[in-house]
Amino acid sequence: MAGLKKQSATWLAVLLTVCGAILLALFFGVLVIRYRAVEAELDRMLTESLTAHTVEAGEGAGYLLHYAETVLKNAGLLIEEDPRAPEKSWVSPMVKNFNLVDDRMDLSYMDREELSGSDWAREDSGLLRRVLSGEAVISGIIPTSKWEEYYVVAIRPMEWEGRVVGALLARVNVNTLLIQGTHSTFFHNVHAVIAGADGRVVFGSRPETEGADLVELGAGNGITASEGKAFSSAFQESETGSFYYDPPEGRFYVAWAQVGYNGWRVVQFSQSPSIQIERSSMVQAVVMLVSLSVCAFLAVLAWWQRSRLAEEKLRYDALAEFKDTLLFEYDCKDDSLEFTSNALKTLDLEEARLERITDESNEFPIFHPDDIVNVRRILRGGRSMQPDQIEHDRTRMKKRDGGYSWYRSQYKAVFGPDGKVSRVIGTLTDISAQIDREKELREQAQQDPLTGLYNRAGVKVINARLEQISRGILFMMDLDDFKSVNDNYGHAAGDKLLIAVGQILTETFRTDDIVARVGGDEFIAFLSGSDSQVMAEQKAQELLDRIRALKIEGIDITAGVSIGVASAPTYGRTYESLSAVADDALYQIKKSGKGGFALR
């Protein structure tokens, strides 16, 4: 009996051991299966992340080159409007002002003789022939004595009387092309190159990679012959794609995306530690726990980000309920301007989102035709704003009833993880009543009875405007030899001249600008919202030309004016500080012969 019990206990122990072994095997089998699934999911996430950021980099590089072409086109159109032949003496200063458009490129002008002696012409004679034949081109990569200064140049020929006499150039550092976009946060080190469609590196983040084959770069990281062949095939078959291989040191990921010029592609390499299944069950368990922890962390991170975005949207929607204030957001990358939903009830908008807002070829009737240029200038300028910088401006926008209302904008920049401006956000407040009040004040005590302009009270209005809008241009004007008009033709004739000059000022400046007569023959004008030297020169020259062309009955002389110009905030944020600088510039014109303008 005892022997039977002992035998039964033995069989029970064996049975339990077998069952335990089976359960343990099942447990570890499930662990392995789950780990493989997690590993595959991680591979997918890592590959998609690197690919997305590589596509962003490729699109960013292509957009920068396209933007360079657009800037040259716009500069060329402006130069072609001038009746003079394109000569370096006056074209170069104008191009210099265009350099303010984007600090990622250098603009210049070369005459025909300088073109043949340029670095890029010596590097590629065929490129010079294309330019001289009138073709706008994007060069290949032009080497210099320093690898860090390699560059690409966009060239737009300038023609005169059917012959190319020079060219506008936009020079872009190749390193600048290579760093467009942001790197994936999943990878600590990303090695980027620009390669041709044949897989040869034309420029890399390290000088030694130039001219190498992409598979050769992979060989340095442990890619096998079969993996290299598969990678080369994938790269040749698709302009955008990804690939990974498994060297002993850890899995390597590669992604590439087209730039859109010269057949170039941005290629990014990065390594992520490879997770290997060991035979030891303990290692398998640890790996599984680590993988699950990583997935849990990513899930929590995604949930937190989704919650934060949802909370931000709720706050954004809540603010949109206030009908007196409209909100807007400009996306620098997409070049899109989006309003809150309440704008659809107030403004003449079909959709809250406007695409390619800064594209000169697009028309947006929502903005007054006289203000759309200023709107685009503001949005482009937002990319160079500083943290905590808040700007103000005014613009007219079309209402649902078809009329235009004045809106005061207040805006600031939002910076991305890379430290660059990603968005510009702001508010729009209807100030039509305030504008009407300004007109009413002008028509009352602040109006000069002779010209209908502001009198010296216009100074107070300028100071009030400077408190709202930090940018502006002050023009100080003094009629030349006005005393001789009164002495030779009488005060009635002098009054006619003053009235005519006041009318020219009213027509030259915008409705929202401030124009005043502050003395007998002294006038001032304040153009708010811009400190553009080009605009200041255009306005000053227009005033000179129109006043010289004046024909006043009873006065047999050519009228003239001297103009001094100062811009805010460069020379101050008050009328007093700006007028001191502009008055000094005016004095210099008077001293040097009158009948001109000087900018400070």
Side-chain angles (χ1 to χ4, degrees):
M1 183 67 114
L4 182 60
K5 288 182 178 180
K6 185 177 181 180
Q7 188 177 9
S8 298
T10 301
W11 280 108
L12 181 60
V14 171
L15 179 62
L16 291 175
T17 300
V18 171
C19 291
I22 293 173
L23 290 174
L24 191 61
L26 289 173
F27 171 74
F28 284 117
V30 170
L31 281 180
V32 170
I33 293 171
R34 294 298 301 162
Y35 167 71
R36 294 299 186 190
V38 170
E39 187 180 46
E41 180 64 11
L42 281 173
D43 277 335
R44 184 190 64 80
M45 293 172 62
L46 293 169
T47 302
E48 288 183 356
S49 177
L50 185 63
T51 301
H53 286 80
T54 305
V55 169
E56 181 185 0
E59 290 176 347
Y63 173 80
L64 181 54
L65 293 175
H66 174 70
Y67 188 58
E69 290 181 314
T70 303
V71 170
L72 294 183
K73 178 182 178 182
N74 293 336
L77 292 175
L78 183 61
I79 293 169
E80 290 169 0
E81 289 178 0
D82 197 296
R84 295 174 291 178
E87 295 178 354
K88 195 166 185 177
S89 59
W90 67 270
V91 175
S92 288
M94 181 178 294
V95 173
K96 183 179 180 181
N97 288 321
F98 271 85
N99 267 319
L100 302 175
V101 172
D102 195 318
D103 59 5
R104 295 175 297 175
M105 64 185 73
D106 292 321
L107 305 184
S108 61
Y109 176 79
M110 287 186 174
D111 56 32
R112 189 181 181 99
E113 290 71 27
E114 290 176 314
L115 290 175
S116 60
S118 62
D119 293 341
W120 53 266
R122 289 194 297 268
E123 181 69 19
D124 186 352
S125 59
L127 190 66
L128 178 61
R129 287 194 296 273
R130 292 167 63 191
V131 173
L132 294 179
S133 69
E135 180 182 353
V137 297
I138 295 287
S139 75
I141 293 175
I142 309 300
T144 66
S145 58
K146 294 183 179 179
W147 166 81
E148 299 86 356
E149 296 177 0
Y150 281 30
Y151 66 94
V152 176
V153 62
I155 311 171
R156 177 181 176 84
M158 296 300 301
E159 298 184 3
W160 180 257
E161 298 181 347
R163 179 175 179 266
V164 174
V165 296
L168 293 170
L169 297 92
R171 176 170 171 155
V172 181
N173 187 285
V174 187
N175 271 304
T176 303
L177 279 182
L178 203 55
I179 61 174
Q180 298 302 303
T182 57
H183 286 161
S184 170
T185 55
F186 289 121
F187 300 95
H188 294 295
N189 296 306
V190 176
H191 173 49
V193 301
I194 297 176
D198 61 353
R200 287 281 173 186
V201 175
V202 295
F203 186 84
S205 55
R206 294 194 295 267
E208 60 269 23
T209 60
E210 183 180 351
D213 187 271
L214 290 174
V215 176
E216 294 175 5
L217 294 183
N221 299 317
I223 192 171
T224 64
S226 59
E227 288 172 336
K229 185 176 180 180
F231 170 40
S232 179
S233 176
F235 185 86
Q236 298 293 333
E237 291 175 0
S238 176
E239 293 182 339
T240 299
S242 60
F243 187 84
Y244 65 82
Y245 52 94
D246 281 305
E249 295 78 15
R251 185 163 293 177
F252 235 92
Y253 297 84
V254 190
W256 61 91
Q258 60 179 330
V259 173
Y261 289 87
N262 298 333
W264 291 339
R265 301 177 190 176
V266 171
V267 185
Q268 294 188 341
F269 297 81
S270 193
Q271 189 174 31
S272 180
S274 179
I275 302 172
Q276 300 291 334
I277 295 292
E278 302 291 342
R279 295 180 181 179
S280 167
S281 59
M282 184 176 294
V283 172
Q284 292 176 353
V286 170
V287 168
M288 185 64 189
L289 289 174
V290 170
S291 301
L292 290 175
S293 298
V294 171
C295 290
F297 171 77
L298 293 176
V300 170
L301 184 63
W303 173 84
W304 175 80
Q305 187 174 8
R306 200 177 296 117
S307 299
R308 185 173 60 83
L309 292 174
E311 181 181 353
E312 183 178 339
K313 186 177 186 302
L314 287 174
R315 183 165 61 251
Y316 196 68
D317 292 342
L319 288 172
E321 293 300 319
F322 293 96
K323 300 184 183 299
D324 294 336
T325 300
L326 309 179
L327 307 181
F328 67 87
E329 177 180 308
Y330 173 65
D331 190 310
C332 298
K333 178 184 176 184
D334 296 341
D335 192 24
S336 63
L337 182 66
E338 187 169 358
F339 299 91
T340 43
S341 57
N342 60 336
L344 297 174
K345 302 175 184 178
T346 306
L347 302 177
D348 188 18
L349 284 168
E350 297 299 325
E351 296 181 356
R353 184 181 179 91
L354 303 178
E355 303 286 351
R356 297 168 60 202
I357 185 70
T358 64
D359 190 333
E360 303 288 346
S361 63
N362 290 334
E363 295 183 358
F364 298 99
I366 184 64
F367 299 106
H368 193 281
D370 293 340
D371 295 340
I372 183 62
V373 173
N374 188 47
V375 170
R376 288 183 170 129
R377 179 194 61 77
I378 290 171
L379 296 178
R380 292 191 190 105
R383 302 174 188 270
S384 59
M385 291 182 70
Q386 301 298 315
D388 300 324
Q389 179 184 354
I390 299 177
E391 294 291 344
H392 308 266
D393 216 309
R394 294 182 174 194
T395 189
R396 284 164 287 186
M397 302 186 73
K398 195 172 185 181
K399 304 289 284 289
R400 279 291 179 187
D401 60 7
Y404 289 92
S405 286
W406 280 100
Y407 282 85
R408 176 174 178 265
S409 63
Q410 182 176 356
Y411 54 94
K412 66 176 297 185
V414 176
F415 292 79
D418 58 354
K420 296 181 180 179
V421 176
S422 61
R423 293 173 294 158
V424 175
I425 60 173
T427 62
L428 291 168
T429 305
D430 193 326
I431 57 168
S432 297
Q434 179 182 339
I435 297 296
D436 293 340
R437 176 58 178 163
E438 288 184 7
K439 291 181 180 178
E440 183 180 341
L441 290 173
R442 178 184 294 180
E443 294 168 357
Q444 295 174 2
Q446 297 186 352
Q447 189 178 50
D448 175 51
L450 181 64
T451 61
L453 306 175
Y454 279 107
N455 56 22
R456 283 202 62 83
V459 172
K460 295 181 180 179
V461 181
I462 292 175
N463 273 325
R465 183 69 59 82
L466 281 166
E467 290 178 1
Q468 299 177 358
I469 303 174
S470 62
R471 284 186 174 85
I473 306 171
L474 178 68
F475 298 78
M476 296 194 71
M477 295 156 280
D478 189 27
L479 296 181
D480 297 330
D481 303 317
F482 180 71
K483 185 176 183 301
S484 66
V485 176
N486 283 335
D487 292 344
N488 295 327
Y489 300 98
H491 288 280
D495 288 348
K496 288 182 181 179
L497 177 58
L498 292 173
I499 292 171
V501 170
Q503 182 64 31
I504 288 175
L505 291 173
T506 301
E507 294 172 355
T508 301
F509 291 93
R510 304 170 303 184
T511 305
D512 191 41
D513 296 332
I514 302 166
V515 183
R517 180 186 174 209
V518 294
D521 62 337
E522 299 173 3
F523 296 85
I524 60 173
F526 183 69
L527 191 155
S528 59
S530 173
D531 57 356
S532 166
Q533 294 286 298
V534 173
M535 181 178 292
E537 290 179 2
Q538 290 174 345
K539 291 291 184 185
Q541 188 62 52
E542 182 179 352
L543 289 171
L544 289 177
D545 295 340
R546 294 191 63 178
I547 291 176
R548 284 173 186 155
L550 268 177
K551 301 295 182 183
I552 305 297
E553 183 179 355
I555 303 178
D556 190 21
I557 63 170
T558 299
V561 65
S562 297
I563 306 171
V565 186
S567 61
T570 304
Y571 293 104
R573 296 176 181 268
T574 65
Y575 171 81
E576 288 72 23
S577 57
L578 293 177
S579 62
V581 177
D583 189 55
D584 179 66
L586 176 60
Y587 173 75
Q588 296 299 325
I589 293 296
K590 288 285 189 183
K591 186 177 178 181
S592 61
K594 306 177 183 179
F597 65 87
L599 276 63
R600 291 289 187 265

